[in-house]
Amino acid sequence: MLKVPDHQVAGHKAIGGKLGPVVDGSGRFYKPLQGDERGSHEVSFYSSFSSNSKIPEHISRFFPKFYGTQLIEASDGSGRQPHLVLQDLNFGRVNPSVMDIKIGSRTWPPEAPEEYVQKCLKKDRKSSSLPLGFRLSGLQIFGSRELGFWKPEKKSWVQSLSSDEVKLLLKKFVSNNASGPLDRKPDCAFASIVYGGSTGILSQLLELKAWFEDQTTYHFYSCSILMMFEKDLISNGKGPRPEIRLIDFAHVVEGKGIIDHNFLGGLCSLIKFISEILTTPEDCATDGLLDDHVQRNHIYYENGST
């Protein structure tokens, strides 16, 4: 039976009669095709990428598996509509902490209509996209089975964070006290095992960076990196399964033999921020800027772990 994804942190959600993605509970994620050329562009990218023998296996693992397209009942009641059928990236995970990060200081593709360019620019100027080369689109941080998830009530607040606030949320993402009192500073307790190590998020980002320094086949505009891990596994003495995945490819265009400096620049910036958290642990639990901002912007706890 199809249902709304439990751990979707950004994008359109299939609630309240709105059109959005659904999952089948067996590992597949159904994303509605956008009615304009963006839907066909995303199908074209997945078809091209999944059949491209030049993509190294260690890179293709960072992308959702593609199972084609399928007509299913749309969540908005409009009848059977075409959907991308993709890998459900959080299938099998228990209470995952998830962060969606849109990469690139420019979020529109070349030759986009001027109206769309101005729409993107307006949003980008209110976010960290221009100064940092990336912005947070959404997140949830698992605290405990009693408290549930820490997450922002308003998507617009996350997207309008300053550079300092972005860094503090990246710290909070790997903190044991994320679900504590709002005036408690992030302790970065899990930074070394989530961000660090040979299989941690930083190592994966560096692996991705090495590919982007060489690949000239695609340019990724308005694409996101999803970061995930499971705090429950740490409590049970296991590794937290930190992983990154790239998502949202409606604005991918041909690279035409040119390096994708827009995506690469944002990726390098994100790597720098995470590296600094790992190399300067003394900076954790010292800044109060985020929590003052939190008090004013409706952060809430969503009870009910899954």
Side-chain angles (χ1 to χ4, degrees):
M1 182 176 178
L2 300 176
K3 64 174 185 176
V4 179
D6 290 326
H7 305 298
Q8 181 184 349
V9 297
H12 300 289
K13 297 186 177 182
I15 56 177
K18 296 181 180 179
L19 184 64
V22 292
V23 294
D24 64 4
S26 62
R28 298 203 174 186
F29 180 95
Y30 298 81
K31 179 180 179 180
L33 288 184
Q34 298 180 74
D36 53 23
E37 70 278 1
R38 289 176 292 178
S40 59
H41 282 174
E42 191 156 25
V43 173
S44 295
F45 167 76
Y46 272 111
S47 299
S48 167
F49 187 86
S50 62
S51 62
N52 190 338
S53 60
K54 295 182 180 180
I55 305 297
E57 187 175 341
H58 71 279
I59 294 301
S60 62
R61 70 186 178 97
F62 293 132
F63 292 75
K65 293 178 181 177
F66 174 55
Y67 301 108
T69 61
Q70 186 175 332
L71 286 172
I72 65 169
E73 290 294 326
S75 61
D76 62 354
S78 60
R80 290 168 63 83
Q81 300 293 339
H83 287 63
L84 280 165
V85 186
L86 305 170
Q87 174 189 9
D88 179 359
L89 298 178
N90 278 304
F91 177 70
R93 288 184 176 270
V94 177
N95 299 319
S97 292
V98 182
M99 182 178 285
D100 183 310
I101 305 171
K102 190 177 291 293
I103 304 293
S105 58
R106 172 175 169 169
T107 58
W108 66 93
E111 302 180 6
E114 182 61 24
E115 182 180 354
Y116 184 75
V117 172
Q118 292 305 317
K119 177 183 177 182
C120 291
L121 264 177
K122 182 178 180 181
K123 184 178 293 186
D124 293 348
R125 286 169 176 159
K126 294 178 180 178
S127 74
S128 64
S129 288
L130 294 179
L132 297 186
F134 71 89
R135 71 169 178 256
L136 306 189
S137 293
L139 76 157
Q140 66 177 29
I141 306 172
F142 181 67
S144 66
R145 292 184 178 273
E146 292 73 29
L147 286 172
F149 292 93
W150 183 99
K151 60 174 64 177
E153 183 177 4
K154 293 185 177 180
K155 181 173 67 173
S156 58
W157 172 72
V158 177
Q159 296 179 351
S160 64
L161 294 173
S162 69
S163 298
D164 287 339
E165 290 162 348
V166 166
K167 187 170 185 177
L168 281 163
L169 265 186
L170 286 169
K171 291 179 181 179
K172 197 172 186 70
F173 187 62
V174 291
S175 290
N176 191 37
N177 61 352
S179 292
L182 290 180
D183 59 354
R184 184 179 297 174
K185 314 304 186 295
D187 59 24
C188 306
F190 308 129
S192 63
I193 56 175
V194 174
Y195 290 153
S198 60
T199 60
I201 283 174
L202 178 59
S203 179
Q204 295 175 52
L205 291 173
L206 289 170
E207 197 171 356
L208 192 63
K209 171 178 172 284
W211 182 66
F212 269 94
E213 289 173 333
D214 183 63
Q215 79 88 18
T216 59
T217 305
Y218 307 105
H219 282 193
F220 295 81
Y221 293 96
S222 200
C223 170
S224 288
I225 289 178
L226 210 61
M227 303 196 310
M228 305 160 283
F229 77 95
E230 293 173 75
K231 181 181 177 182
D232 267 354
L233 292 178
I234 302 173
S235 303
N236 294 327
K238 301 178 181 178
R241 292 179 62 199
E243 290 184 336
I244 65 167
R245 291 292 186 273
L246 275 69
I247 59 172
D248 297 337
F249 307 112
H251 299 291
V252 176
V253 300
E254 290 184 16
K256 299 179 179 179
I258 300 172
I259 288 175
D260 186 356
H261 292 288
N262 179 63
F263 189 97
L264 180 59
L267 179 58
C268 289
S269 179
L270 176 60
I271 287 171
K272 178 178 180 290
F273 270 63
I274 291 179
S275 297
E276 288 177 351
I277 293 173
L278 288 169
T279 56
T280 57
E282 66 275 9
D283 290 345
C284 290
T286 58
D287 301 313
L289 185 150
L290 172 66
D291 294 303
D292 292 339
H293 198 84
V294 162
Q295 296 280 13
R296 304 193 302 271
N297 286 280
H298 313 293
I299 300 299
Y300 73 102
Y301 301 99
E302 183 178 272
N303 290 313
S305 53
T306 57

